[in-house]
Every structure is written in C-alpha cells, then in structure tokens.
Amino acid sequence: MAEQKALGGKTVIVTGAGRGIGRAIALSAARAGASVVLASRTEEQLQEVVREVAALGGAAAAEPCDVRRAADVERLVARAVAETGRVDAVVSNAGVF
C-alpha cells in the first residue's frame, strides 16, 4: 500500500524560499507530499531548492518575486495556479523592510 502523506495533493507557496527558514519550510512541505511554489528575489537560490525538492521525489516550481511589488505577487499566484491548479497554503516568510 502506498504511503499517504499529510500534504499530498496540496500546493504550498513559500516566499523567501531560496535559503534559511524558507528553504527548510519548502523542503519540509515537499517531504509531506505538497507541490511547492518557491518565491525569492534570487533565482539561483530558487533553482537549487527546486533541485533539492526533485531529489526528494517532489514537485517544485520557482518564481522570482519581490513580495513588495503587487505585480510580482500576482504573477506568483498565477504561476502556482497554472502549475498545479490550486493554492492551499501560503507561507509568508520573506523578510522585507
């Protein structure tokens, strides 16, 4: 019987996902079965996390995003819906001042 994961079939957007706490949250959500949509201003860091999620057998998409800009956030949500058809949770982890 296949293992059922707590977040299986869910989509989680994680801002600030390129490093630190955001990266850890994204990897944890992926381990729990979620598709993760990763946001950060640094695409190189995002692509590394996408590779880490893939190594876990999970699904991830990266969207460069500055959460201080409404158009970027709208594009992020649109990408999540386009990739997975849904958004179930958002972890607003980006540290902006």
Side-chain angles (χ1 to χ4, degrees):
M1 182 186 284
E3 176 186 352
Q4 190 157 19
K5 297 190 175 190
L7 296 178
K10 305 293 184 188
T11 297
V12 178
I13 293 174
V14 182
T15 68
R19 60 190 177 118
I21 294 170
R23 175 184 163 275
I25 291 168
L27 293 173
S28 180
R31 283 187 196 98
S35 295
V36 291
V37 180
L38 312 170
S40 175
R41 292 182 295 169
T42 309
E43 184 156 11
E44 284 179 26
Q45 291 175 341
L46 289 176
Q47 292 305 324
E48 178 59 32
V49 180
V50 166
R51 287 189 288 277
E52 291 179 82
V53 170
L56 294 171
E63 185 64 38
C65 178
D66 183 338
V67 297
R68 297 171 295 180
R69 297 186 174 143
D72 281 12
V73 175
E74 289 171 7
R75 190 179 67 248
L76 170 62
V77 174
R79 173 78 184 274
V81 172
E83 292 279 334
T84 67
R86 62 192 296 156
V87 174
D88 297 290
V90 177
V91 179
S92 182
N93 173 70
V96 294
F97 300 97

